[in-house]
Amino acid sequence: MLKVLIADDEFIVRRAIRRIGQWEAFDMEICGETEDGYATLDFIIKQRPDIMILDMRMPGMSGEEILEELKKRDIRIKIIVVSGFDSFEYVRKALRYGVVDYILKPVNRTEFNEILKKTGQELSSSAPKEKTEKDICGQIKEEIDKNYSQNLAVSGFAERYFVNKDVLSRLFKKKYGVGITEYINSVRLEQAKLLLLWGYPVGRASEMVGYHDVNYFSRIFKKKYGMPPSAYVKTEQAKDSST
């Protein structure tokens, strides 16, 4: 079910929108209401609604400022502007940020529901793309698992799969609970532990898992395991000798 946020400082407008929307018919639900710009932005960041009904003139932070912040943060959400101002400048600014439509108050029930229906259909048609992006994350994980010793970076994966690197990082973390860079380091360090226990020198183990700067390798190893590589080897050897 698609989640909808109503952002308007007038209670009477929010109530009217709640009542006229054919939410169930379009498989939608109102997940929240906000009455100032800062609360609106905070809600979007934390709750990630699919659709927002937005008033361009909000206290604290204007609708335009909200749209600008969403663009900066690359937060994708379908936005329907509901405004009491029939101004070309307002419409131009809203459309510049990719707003779905611009409706004037008082809201016409038929027009509003037609726009809701169209917006829901657009989101449904974008679902295969979202699935593809999730499949890409799986491919990237497999590549890291197999080729951890090679030169791997988020920017490289983004270029290869034609996905914005920030979006890609967010999708990967959502799916696996860790960022791409963090996952690369985790795979490399786990393999390095085995190499060290097999008797490889620290410098050689570092090279074999993809780190060409042994000092950097030692730093991140210590950060993850609480001790430098040499101390780790001694600790594990002491455990073996005591058994």
Side-chain angles (χ1 to χ4, degrees):
M1 184 167 282
L2 299 173
K3 298 186 295 182
V4 182
L5 167 65
I6 302 174
D8 196 299
D9 63 329
E10 296 181 73
F11 171 76
I12 192 170
V13 174
R14 298 198 306 273
R15 183 177 62 184
I17 290 172
R18 278 201 315 271
R19 289 180 175 178
I20 67 174
Q22 297 174 2
W23 311 110
E24 290 186 11
F26 305 135
D27 197 29
M28 298 177 185
E29 64 176 357
I30 297 171
C31 63
E33 297 181 18
T34 53
E35 54 187 81
D36 73 75
Y38 292 113
T40 299
L41 183 62
D42 184 63
F43 187 96
I44 293 168
I45 292 170
K46 291 178 179 176
Q47 302 297 327
R48 297 301 173 104
D50 302 291
I51 301 167
M52 172 169 61
I53 316 298
L54 175 67
D55 180 10
M56 288 295 281
R57 296 192 70 174
M58 300 268 284
M61 179 182 280
S62 69
E64 183 185 356
E65 288 172 325
I66 293 170
L67 294 174
E68 190 172 340
E69 275 297 315
L70 294 179
K71 186 174 183 179
K72 284 180 184 177
R73 296 167 184 261
D74 198 28
I75 296 175
R76 300 180 185 183
I77 174 175
K78 293 290 186 181
I79 300 167
I80 301 167
V81 169
V82 176
S83 175
F85 296 88
D86 187 8
S87 161
F88 173 78
E89 184 63 18
Y90 268 86
V91 175
R92 186 186 67 81
K93 287 178 179 178
L95 295 179
R96 187 178 68 190
Y97 290 104
V99 165
V100 173
D101 218 319
Y102 191 103
I103 310 172
L104 290 176
K105 299 175 183 177
V107 179
N108 178 281
R109 180 189 298 268
T110 302
E111 179 189 11
F112 181 71
N113 282 298
E114 284 177 355
I115 292 169
L116 275 185
K117 182 179 180 180
K118 180 185 73 173
T119 305
Q121 289 172 340
E122 288 178 358
L123 283 168
S124 297
S125 65
S126 69
K129 179 176 183 290
E130 183 179 339
K131 183 178 184 297
T132 301
E133 288 175 338
K134 289 181 179 178
D135 291 343
I136 287 171
C137 290
Q139 293 175 43
I140 290 172
K141 182 178 180 294
E142 287 181 13
E143 185 172 341
I144 294 169
D145 291 339
K146 293 177 182 177
N147 305 313
Y148 56 83
S149 63
Q150 296 181 13
N151 184 22
L152 303 175
V154 178
S155 56
F157 289 124
E159 287 180 15
R160 195 179 318 155
Y161 290 101
F162 304 100
V163 182
N164 177 281
K165 67 177 184 178
D166 294 327
V167 173
L168 183 60
S169 295
R170 191 163 61 245
L171 286 169
F172 192 94
K173 187 165 187 177
K174 183 178 180 181
K175 185 169 185 178
Y176 296 111
V178 294
I180 293 176
T181 301
E182 186 180 352
Y183 185 72
I184 293 170
N185 285 332
S186 177
V187 172
R188 285 175 170 174
L189 292 174
E190 283 299 313
Q191 183 62 25
K193 281 167 63 177
L194 294 175
L195 294 172
L196 290 167
L197 294 178
W198 288 337
Y200 284 92
V202 173
R204 180 64 179 140
S206 172
E207 286 276 347
M208 290 174 71
V209 298
Y211 297 114
H212 304 293
D213 182 340
V214 68
N215 292 324
Y216 174 72
F217 166 68
S218 295
R219 284 199 307 273
I220 64 170
F221 190 100
K222 183 178 181 180
K223 183 177 180 180
K224 185 170 180 66
Y225 301 115
M227 63 184 77
S230 55
Y232 169 77
V233 174
K234 289 178 181 178
T235 301
E236 292 302 309
Q237 288 174 343
K239 289 179 183 176
D240 290 340
S241 62
S242 64
T243 56

